[in-house]
Amino acid sequence: MRAMYLVTLKFRIYPLALSLSNPNELSQEMLTLDGPLAFAEYYKQKLSKSEDWRVEYLEDTLFPEGELKWTSNIKSSYLLPATLDRENEIVEALTPMGFSAMFSIDNQRARYKYSRGGYPRRLESSQIILRLGRRDDILKAEIFRKAENIALTKQVKLPSSQSGPYKAVDYTIKLYTPHVLWVSIVDGISKKGLEELLFILKKFGIGKKRNMGWGDLLDYNIYDLKKDSVTPEFIIHSSDNSRYLETIRPVSPKKIAELIGGHNRSTKSKKYVLIDSKLGYGAEKPPYWRRHLVVKSALFQIFE
């Protein structure tokens, strides 16, 4: 039976994905869980039968005639940083727009209770800024060669360290404050199937920097979650006698426009006023290397 679940995850080092937001600035990207889950599903049903699954995976993804056409029904929210209050059995998740969403947990069941605090405080307010310099190895190698009297066998043109792909630059990296616990809302799969895929991800990890240890999954819990004021796509907040709808996964600008315009029958009794949004390049569903313009997060005020 398919339902909706609140999944809590613990990592050795939390998942990391970066995007170049300015010429020398890398910013942390929010990650959805459906990408890794789709890979685990693909591995389970096809790649696990191969002697060396990596060869078949590269053939499916790199060669045009064999491009991966894997589709998955799994949908999840972003991985949201969270804290766990064991005494009161409350999971508190921080949303991209800065609301604290409270979930009560009991006997493998979870229920969305309420939100507190919130807009306009954003997740970025808790960021850590690191500055990393890329070493000028070309220049150092040339100094070492001359110092040691090492002659080149033939005349070669050294790559330029002043321009082009080998240019020596400094990168500013913005990282959000890490949390021990992360949560995601997942739909489109049975509980047993979800547990099998998460078990596979304990082997492969989650995230973009796997060779550095980012995204090593240590433990997880799955809670049945009632479909009420939260789904993998949005969450409804109540704050200061006002109600807000926040998107918590990438959506297309077309969907946002439809919600504002109220053309869908389900929105005719309500009015959604867009008060904040963040655009970027990504994808609404796997595969995530097919990037296009998406709304990464949006906040609406709801008027009945």
Side-chain angles (χ1 to χ4, degrees), residues 150-267:
I150 299 173
L152 298 176
T153 56
K154 60 179 180 179
Q155 292 295 323
V156 295
K157 183 180 180 181
L158 293 174
S160 173
S161 62
Q162 303 299 317
S163 61
Y166 299 99
K167 181 180 179 180
V169 296
D170 287 335
Y171 288 113
T172 297
I173 301 179
K174 294 183 177 181
L175 300 177
Y176 304 136
T177 304
H179 287 64
V180 173
L181 191 70
W182 296 76
V183 301
S184 183
I185 299 160
V186 181
D187 200 353
I189 187 174
S190 69
K191 191 171 186 177
K192 181 181 178 182
L194 178 57
E195 189 160 0
E196 291 174 350
L197 299 186
L198 288 171
F199 182 78
I200 292 174
L201 291 179
K202 286 189 73 172
K203 175 182 177 182
F204 291 108
I206 298 171
K208 302 295 186 183
K209 295 292 181 181
R210 186 66 182 85
N211 62 328
M212 296 170 58
W214 303 113
D216 287 347
L217 181 59
L218 297 180
D219 195 17
Y220 56 84
N221 281 293
I222 304 172
Y223 301 93
D224 294 295
L225 182 62
K226 182 181 178 182
K227 294 185 179 182
D228 189 7
S229 297
V230 59
T231 73
E233 295 180 317
F234 67 83
I235 186 170
I236 295 177
H237 310 291
S238 296
S239 179
D240 300 327
N241 298 319
S242 298
R243 298 178 73 228
Y244 301 92
L245 183 145
E246 179 183 356
T247 60
I248 50 176
R249 64 169 287 116
V251 297
S252 69
K254 181 179 179 181
K255 288 184 180 179
I256 298 296
E258 289 176 352
L259 195 60
I260 297 172
H263 298 303
N264 294 337
R265 184 173 299 176
S266 61
T267 66

Side-chain angles (χ1 to χ4, degrees), residues 47-147:
L47 299 181
S48 61
K49 301 171 185 177
S50 303
E51 291 184 6
D52 189 342
W53 65 268
R54 295 167 297 180
V55 174
E56 186 168 354
Y57 178 69
L58 289 174
E59 289 176 347
D60 284 348
T61 56
L62 296 182
F63 298 106
E65 62 273 10
E67 184 181 357
L68 181 61
K69 295 181 175 61
W70 184 263
T71 58
S72 175
N73 294 319
I74 302 172
K75 182 172 286 188
S76 81
S77 70
Y78 289 122
L79 280 171
L80 303 174
T83 56
L84 173 62
D85 182 348
R86 292 188 179 277
E87 183 178 352
N88 298 310
E89 296 184 314
I90 296 291
V91 172
E92 180 180 353
L94 183 64
T95 69
M97 288 294 178
F99 288 88
S100 293
M102 306 293 179
F103 296 86
S104 62
I105 54 174
D106 181 32
N107 295 326
Q108 300 305 307
R109 293 183 181 275
R111 183 169 64 89
Y112 173 52
K113 297 183 67 177
Y114 59 90
S115 299
R116 72 179 184 188
Y119 187 80
R121 183 179 62 84
R122 284 194 181 189
L123 191 61
E124 287 89 342
S125 64
S126 62
Q127 72 188 9
I128 300 171
I129 299 180
L130 303 176
R131 192 168 189 84
L132 303 180
R134 192 174 78 183
R135 295 180 303 170
D136 194 347
D137 292 326
I138 298 171
L139 182 58
K140 290 179 181 179
E142 183 65 5
I143 293 173
F144 175 79
R145 183 186 71 81
K146 290 180 178 179

Side-chain angles (χ1 to χ4, degrees), residues 13 23 270:
I13 300 178
K270 299 178 182 179

